Amino acid sequence: LFQLLFDLISLPDDATSTIAAARIVGNAFGVNQVANQLVHSGPLLMALKSALSHPHRAVRKEAAWVLSCISSMGKQGSEKMVRFGFLPLLIELFKNSGMDIQREIAFILMDVCFDGGPSFAKEMTENGALVPFIHLLHTHEVGVVRAALEFVRMVLDNLPESVNLFEELDGIQALERVQDMDAPRLAGIASMLIDRHYGEDANGLQPESSSGRTAQ
């Protein structure tokens, strides 16, 4: 059954079947032991990688959602994103897609950073991912803002060279917007980052570790 679903996900000319198959696979994760084991399946990941380049936006969105389900399952899931070469494609989609796709990719990229460390945040920043993460700080979806804020936190706390870039990209204004959200914990993190990196005593403050994997 799952092999049939993988084949459907890979179909280039049948968007409806591809979306339906991807939705079934994504919903199976976490409740079906066989589906969980398929995270390690090369055919599934290659099918999803193909779907990310599908001409139909809805297919790309569904593929990104399934990948976010996989990356949220823990280190093994996020490592698959790296091992199968997803990052360049995901970053490119992240920069050039609408909010519906960006939100899913934000969760994936943050999971990869959390499990793999600041070196991945550096790679993503160097390849242009910081701009869409800053844009996501302006959304009204708390989970998405949380993922974006944790990425920004990792970047600012671990990549000193990014502090000026973040300011040039109007990142401070984005953090100030988070300060005004009805989400005390996120507002507190935003205030801390502004004080730590742009306040009067910015050079004298030591960064704290990130709080952990982002909840979706």
Side-chain angles (χ1 to χ4, degrees):
L1 173 61
F2 281 107
Q3 184 57 56
L4 174 61
L5 292 171
F6 300 164
D7 292 341
L8 289 173
I9 292 173
S10 300
L11 288 176
D13 301 319
D14 190 346
T16 301
S17 296
T18 298
I19 292 169
R23 177 61 56 171
I24 292 170
V25 171
N27 284 330
F29 290 126
V31 297
N32 184 297
Q33 188 61 36
V34 174
N36 292 343
Q37 293 172 356
L38 292 174
V39 171
H40 306 287
S41 166
L44 168 61
L45 292 168
M46 294 310 295
L48 291 170
K49 193 171 186 179
S50 175
L52 283 178
S53 300
H54 199 281
H56 290 274
R57 180 198 58 79
V59 173
R60 297 194 298 273
K61 174 186 175 182
E62 206 68 22
W65 172 73
V66 176
L67 289 169
S68 73
C69 293
I70 294 173
S71 71
S72 69
M73 294 174 68
K75 190 171 184 178
Q76 288 183 326
S78 61
E79 283 179 345
K80 293 296 183 183
M81 303 297 107
V82 178
R83 189 175 306 167
F84 278 78
F86 278 93
L87 287 188
L89 180 56
L90 287 169
I91 292 171
E92 198 61 29
L93 276 175
F94 192 45
K95 294 188 295 183
N96 296 296
S97 298
M99 166 66 180
D100 56 342
I101 296 178
Q102 283 185 331
R103 71 180 301 283
E104 304 299 343
I105 296 178
F107 291 128
I108 300 169
L109 297 182
M110 191 55 228
D111 284 336
V112 170
C113 287
F114 173 69
D115 291 323
S119 63
F120 286 103
K122 179 178 176 65
E123 176 184 348
M124 294 172 193
T125 298
E126 290 175 346
N127 285 282
L130 186 57
V131 171
F133 269 116
I134 291 174
H135 289 167
L136 289 178
L137 291 175
H138 290 278
T139 68
H140 297 284
E141 190 173 343
V142 172
V144 175
V145 173
R146 182 183 297 112
L149 190 60
E150 289 296 347
F151 180 83
V152 166
R153 182 179 185 178
M154 181 174 285
V155 167
L156 293 178
D157 285 355
N158 293 280
L159 307 175
E161 66 275 17
S162 72
V163 173
N164 289 337
L165 173 62
F166 185 77
E167 183 174 12
E168 292 169 2
L169 295 172
D170 295 329
I172 296 177
Q173 289 90 328
L175 289 177
E176 290 173 341
R177 185 265 163 190
V178 177
Q179 285 180 306
D180 295 333
M181 288 183 64
D182 186 19
R185 181 176 175 277
L186 299 186
I189 294 174
S191 297
M192 175 195 66
L193 290 174
I194 292 174
D195 291 342
R196 175 182 294 164
H197 298 288
Y198 303 101
E200 293 181 0
D201 299 323
N203 293 329
L205 293 174
Q206 296 298 317
E208 301 172 3
S209 61
S210 180
S211 59
R213 179 178 290 276
T214 301
Q216 297 185 29

